């Protein structure tokens, strides 16, 4: 399983490279993506680093590329290709300089074209407005607006009363204003001029383009008649307030206006030709930039990432060599050396780089090598916490356990097939979908998890066969093991009653009836049964209706339970017990994985004070409970028989495991056996059973065995709590003793000088020895160890109970999913079958209802319920499973990689 089972071994290395070859070396390592560099200048800010000018240069080039991209998108053109095309070769310096010059020229040209285009648009808009003004002015005067204005103004002068009217000729001014501002403009002008201005307006039929925003707007031409220069000043101010444009040089005669119209339209035609040529040139320039945009953006980001990495290096003493420190996987060191050789040859340097492996006390990064299949499962684990260095990685086990637990909650054959088909489509069309470069975030999430969707669909199909459930319907593949014990006449009568009452007959599967006597000799059950026809209900006695000779249904749940009235009681009991068994099984496996960690790190104290007590505690209580569940399934039946040497009268005496577990902890005394004795009484040879026979001991020595199990579980708690701290104290004492035995004191009687030599290495430590300790625990003290172990013990003991209960979500979500599926079937689809007796109308109804049923099934039962089951499976892995062995205190290995750098650029472009 390689590094997927446990992270790669890492080596801390020092890289010494000549200054002239540094760029080529780092660029070659960026292609390999197996070196994580350490920042040797952590106290130096980004503005004071060596290559800050180069980075600013590429930032400026990137800004120009973003500007060109905005202009390309503004013109509705598409940028072809991808940033990451698989070629990670850095551009030579000469070509890079040429690219910088090209970007400068393109930016300047595009800006000049933008300014020219804006000016042309403004001139074109002015000419169109002027053309409209000339035409509308002719229309105004042709309609006699001047005469109307003359009469209106004279009337207003007469109504002025004692005020002396201005003795001046009537003048007019024309202009253009936004259509929606006309009513307000007229009202304000009317009031500001004291009713002495005459205004008329006419809409321009053609929409005009706003040169500033480029939006199409509706405008109108207006004409204002007035007297005197004072009113002209008022009109100018009101027009400025409404952003209306006045034309003071409008010709006074119709002939002059017609001549101006011909001249304006000729200029408009010429201007349209110029604008078309300008846009065509702009299109060619931007199209050429669009064709090369991704390649340019790739090169700029490659260059910038190399210089960012070189900023992590440091100079040697003479300033000729760069010195860097990095983490490299052990298996990739030879590949790195080969890459350094290639980079040196490419740069033409005469000095070969030096790669030294160093010893360090720093914690190495965690690197789990993955592929496109395992990456999604590794990301699930890393979302909880990155594994500590060389710690057991849960990802390979998650590949199986995650879709399995998901299927336990989502188990439906039909829904599993839908999910499987979706996964198959995403996997088969993988290359095509990647090439399409779809930028939708939701689609990206589903596509990234395509393999886990595929596995969840497969496991859900398996669970659907186990539960015998497909869209809330069972399927009878192997033939039910139940048969009808009733006479055909009775069945025919029930069917007739069902048709009359229009009610379904449901079969209640119950235990075999018997007749027993209690201690008061009063019969509690009868060996005869009768069917009340008024209930329309058939009772199947397992002792009679079940085919014992044929054995159980070969695979999954017998299909007869789909029509049983007590179906939920049976399935809930079965799924609840399965959830407990699966949960305890996965938690036990997690504790076993912790043993792998203890053995790998050679921590015997953890094996004896943590692993063994945890296994005993889990086994004495919870594994014992699972064993009882399995034994109850195997041995206890509806028929009278001898089980574990004790006479078992029937299903009503099957042991109650929950109450039995409570009695186990309370050490409550219980009677042995199910009956008083094996002597039969009465004419029918009946047994006398014990009161509460389901609470008695059901195998010999049960109370003693359970007392021993509880005692062992209780003893394990203080071992887990105090075992490691006590071992820590003993180790400290042993270390102090060994340290004292290795100290030699040399004394000079004449000079009264002393010399202390530690560990026999001849190194003088001083006149007095202070004595140390705790070196094996790297500075930890007893208090830290005690607190940590107390928290760990309490968490484990309480977690065993709470986590077992948490696994019951497998049963709860399975129940909810099945009930939703059943409701959707009966309340939506099945009603369409009886919608109408007319074949055509019924067919249309079925078609429409089936479409609604399909939409609701996929959206609610597959997507929403699938997401719910996914989140619950995620929690079970993070909390219940991984907490038993997984620390997750590491940090990820993040190598310098051109591929990762370009992926980030693509994500930013998509955002």
């Amino acid at each position: 399983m390689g590094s997927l089972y446990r992270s790669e071994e890492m080596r801390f290395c020092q890289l010494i490279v000549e200054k002239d070859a540094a760029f080529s070396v780092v660029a070659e390592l960026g292609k390999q993506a197996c070196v994580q560099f350490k920042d040797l200048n952590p106290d130096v800010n980004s503005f004071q680093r060596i290559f800050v000018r180069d980075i600013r240069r590429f930032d400026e080039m990137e800004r120009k590329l973003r500007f060109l991209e905005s202009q390309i998108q503004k013109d509705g053109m598409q940028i072809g290709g991808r940033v990451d095309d698989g070629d990670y070769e850095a551009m030579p310096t000469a070509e890079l300089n040429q690219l910088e010059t090209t970007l400068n020229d393109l930016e300047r040209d595009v800006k000049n074209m933008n300014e020219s285009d804006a000016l042309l648009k403004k001139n074109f808009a002015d000419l169109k407005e002027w053309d409209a003004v000339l035409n509308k002015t002719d229309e105004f005067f042709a309609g006699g607006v001047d005469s109307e204005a003359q009469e209106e103004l004279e009337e207003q002068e007469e109504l002025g009363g004692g005020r002396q009217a201005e003795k001046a000729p009537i003048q007019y001014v024309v202009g253009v204003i936004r259509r929606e501002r006309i009513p307000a403009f007229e009202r304000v002008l009317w009031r500001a001029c004291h009713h002495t201005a005459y205004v008329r307006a006419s809409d321009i039929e053609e929409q005009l383009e706003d040169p500033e925003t480029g939006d199409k707007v509706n405008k109108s031409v207006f004409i204002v008649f007035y007297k005197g220069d004072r009113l002209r000043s008022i009109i100018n101010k009101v027009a400025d307030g409404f952003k209306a444009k006045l034309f003071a040089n409008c010709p006074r005669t119709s002939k002059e206006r017609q001549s101006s119209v011909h001249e304006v339209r000729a200029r408009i035609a010429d201007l349209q030709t110029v604008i078309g040529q300008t846009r065509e040139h702009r299109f060619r320039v931007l199209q050429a930039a669009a064709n090369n945009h991704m390649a340019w953006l790739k090169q700029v980001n490659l260059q910038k990432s190399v210089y960012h990495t070189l900023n992590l290096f440091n100079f040697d003493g003479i300033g000729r060599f760069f010195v860097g420190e990095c983490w490299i996987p052990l298996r990739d060191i030879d590949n790195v050396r080969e890459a350094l050789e290639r980079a040196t040859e490419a740069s033409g340097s005469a000095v070969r780089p030096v790669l030294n492996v160093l010893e360090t006390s720093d914690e190495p990064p965690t690197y789990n090598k993955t592929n496109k299949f395992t990456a999604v499962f590794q990301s699930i684990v890393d979302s909880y916490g990155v594994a500590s260095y060389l710690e057991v990685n849960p990802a390979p086990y998650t590949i199986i356990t995650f879709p399995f637990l998901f299927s336990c909650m989502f188990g439906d054959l039909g829904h599993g097939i839908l999910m499987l088909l979706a996964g198959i489509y995403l996997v088969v069309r993988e290359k095509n979908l990647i090439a399409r470069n779809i930028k939708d975030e939701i689609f990206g999430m589903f596509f990234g998890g395509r393999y886990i969707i595929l596995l969840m669909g497969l496991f859900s199909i398996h669970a659907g066969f186990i539960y015998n459930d497909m869209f809330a319907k069972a399927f009878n593949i192997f033939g039910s093991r139940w048969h009808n014990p009733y006479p055909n006449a009775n069945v025919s009568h029930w069917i007739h009653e069902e048709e009359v009452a229009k009610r379904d007959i449901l079969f209640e599967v119950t235990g075999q009836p018997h007749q027993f006597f209690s201690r008061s000799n009063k019969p509690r059950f009868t060996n005869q049964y009768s069917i009340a026809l008024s209930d329309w209900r058939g009772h199947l006695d397992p002792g009679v209706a079940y085919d014992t000779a044929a054995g159980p249904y070969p695979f999954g749940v017998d299909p007869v339970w789909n029509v049983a009235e007590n179906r939920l009681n049976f399935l809930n009991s079965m799924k609840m017990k399965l959830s407990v068994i699966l949960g305890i099984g996965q938690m036990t496996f997690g504790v076993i994985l912790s043993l792998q960690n203890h053995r790998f790190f050679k921590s015997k104290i953890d094996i004896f004070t943590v692993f063994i007590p945890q296994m005993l505690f889990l086994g004495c209580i919870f594994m014992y409970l699972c064993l009882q569940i399995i034994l109850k399934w195997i041995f206890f039946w509806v028929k009278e028989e001898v089980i574990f040497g004790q006479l078992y009268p029937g299903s009503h005496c099957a042991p109650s495991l929950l109450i039995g577990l409570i009695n186990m902890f309370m050490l409550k005394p219980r009677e042995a056996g199910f009956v008083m004795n094996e002597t039969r009484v009465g004419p029918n040879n009946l047994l006398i059973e014990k009161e509460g026979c389901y609470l008695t001991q059901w195998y010999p020595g049960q109370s003693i065995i359970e007392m021993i199990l509880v005692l062992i579980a209780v003893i394990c708690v203080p071992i887990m709590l105090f075992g490691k701290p006590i071992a820590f104290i003993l180790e400290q004492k042993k270390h102090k003793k060994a340290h004292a035995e290795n100290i030699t004191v040399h004394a000079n009687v004449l000079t009264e000088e002393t010399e202390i030599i530690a560990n026999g290495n001849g190194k003088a430590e001083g006149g007095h020895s202070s004595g140390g300790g705790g070196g094996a625990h790297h500075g930890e003290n007893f208090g830290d160890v005690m607190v940590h172990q107390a928290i760990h013990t309490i968490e484990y003991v309480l977690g065993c109970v709470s986590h077992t209960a948490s696994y019951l979500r497998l049963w709860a979500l399975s129940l909810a999913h099945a009930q939703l599926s059943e409701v959707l079937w009966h309340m939506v689809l099945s009603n369409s079958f009886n919608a109408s007796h007319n074949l055509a109308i019924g067919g249309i109804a079925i078609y429409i209802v089936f479409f609604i049923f399909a939409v609701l099934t996929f959206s609610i039962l597959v997507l929403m319920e699938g997401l719910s089951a996914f989140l619950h499976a995620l929690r079970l892995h993070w909390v219940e499973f991984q907490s038993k062995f997984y620390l997750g205190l590491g940090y990820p290995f993040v190598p310098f990689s051109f591929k990762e750098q370009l992926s980030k650029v693509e994500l930013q472009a998509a955002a």
Side-chain angles (χ1 to χ4, degrees), residues 185-475:
F185 176 74
E186 291 180 349
R187 288 195 301 271
V188 172
L189 194 61
W190 181 257
R191 293 172 182 174
C193 296
H194 301 287
H195 306 176
T196 57
Y198 182 81
V199 183
R200 286 294 179 269
S202 178
D203 296 338
I204 302 176
E205 292 79 8
E206 182 183 358
Q207 284 188 323
L208 303 179
E209 183 178 350
D210 190 337
E212 295 181 358
T213 63
D215 299 332
K216 295 290 185 178
V217 295
N218 294 311
K219 291 190 175 183
S220 299
V221 175
F222 65 88
I223 184 169
V224 182
F225 291 90
Y226 63 93
K227 286 185 178 182
D229 293 336
R230 186 177 63 85
L231 290 181
R232 174 62 186 266
S233 176
I234 294 175
I235 293 171
N236 289 340
K237 291 179 180 180
V238 173
D240 289 340
F242 281 89
K243 296 183 180 180
K245 184 177 181 181
L246 299 178
F247 293 85
N249 57 345
C250 183
R252 296 294 175 178
T253 65
S254 176
K255 184 177 181 180
E256 292 177 348
R257 285 193 291 270
Q258 291 299 322
S259 176
S260 297
V261 166
H262 293 304
E263 180 182 351
V264 166
R265 290 182 177 174
R267 291 174 59 188
I268 289 175
D270 295 339
L271 199 57
Q272 284 178 329
T273 303
V274 174
I275 291 175
Q277 294 174 349
T278 303
R279 289 181 176 175
E280 184 179 353
H281 175 65
R282 173 187 172 88
F283 176 81
R284 289 196 300 268
V285 171
L286 291 180
Q287 187 63 51
N291 294 336
N292 297 285
H293 181 271
M294 289 300 181
W296 293 342
L297 184 62
K298 180 188 73 173
Q299 288 298 327
V300 169
N301 281 277
L302 290 182
Q303 300 278 342
K304 187 169 70 170
S305 64
V306 170
Y307 283 109
H308 269 298
T309 304
L310 286 174
N311 273 337
L312 306 178
F313 284 60
N314 209 341
F315 278 115
D316 65 336
I318 60 176
R320 183 183 174 187
F321 295 92
F322 279 117
V323 179
E325 294 180 353
C326 55
W327 291 101
I328 305 176
L330 178 61
R331 67 168 64 181
D332 290 327
I333 287 183
D334 292 338
N335 296 334
V336 172
R337 294 186 189 277
E338 294 176 2
L340 295 178
E341 293 293 333
R342 291 195 300 269
T344 304
E345 294 176 1
S347 64
S349 174
V351 181
R352 298 185 178 277
V354 178
L355 185 67
N356 299 321
V357 179
L358 306 179
E359 295 293 334
T360 181
S361 59
D362 294 342
E363 181 78 10
T366 299
Y367 175 44
N368 296 108
K369 199 168 185 178
T370 60
N371 53 37
K372 61 182 180 181
F373 175 74
T374 59
V376 62
F377 299 97
Q378 189 64 57
S379 65
I380 288 176
V381 174
D382 291 343
S383 298
Y384 175 80
V386 179
S388 302
Y389 180 60
L390 296 178
E391 183 183 15
V392 168
N393 183 22
Y397 313 107
T398 304
I399 294 175
I400 299 299
T401 58
F402 189 91
F404 178 76
L405 292 183
F406 171 88
S407 67
C408 291
M409 297 176 277
F410 192 75
D412 187 288
L413 179 60
H415 303 154
I417 290 174
L418 294 178
M419 186 169 289
L420 176 65
L421 292 176
I424 290 175
Y425 172 80
L426 294 175
V427 171
V428 172
R429 301 280 294 173
E430 177 181 321
K431 293 182 179 179
N432 179 268
L433 294 173
I434 292 175
R436 290 170 61 183
N437 194 23
I438 301 174
K439 297 180 180 181
D440 183 72
E441 184 178 1
I442 301 298
F443 175 81
M445 293 173 58
F446 282 106
F447 183 73
R450 57 193 179 278
Y451 289 103
I452 197 171
I453 293 174
L454 180 68
L455 287 182
M456 289 191 301
L458 282 173
F459 278 79
S460 296
I461 291 174
H462 169 264
F465 277 111
I466 293 292
Y467 296 157
N468 205 336
D469 194 4
M470 180 176 182
F471 298 119
K473 292 298 178 183
F475 36 90

Side-chain angles (χ1 to χ4, degrees), residues 572-583:
N572 284 346
S573 176
M574 181 195 72
K575 292 180 179 180
M576 181 172 59
K577 292 180 174 65
L578 279 176
S579 300
V580 172
I581 293 174
L582 292 176

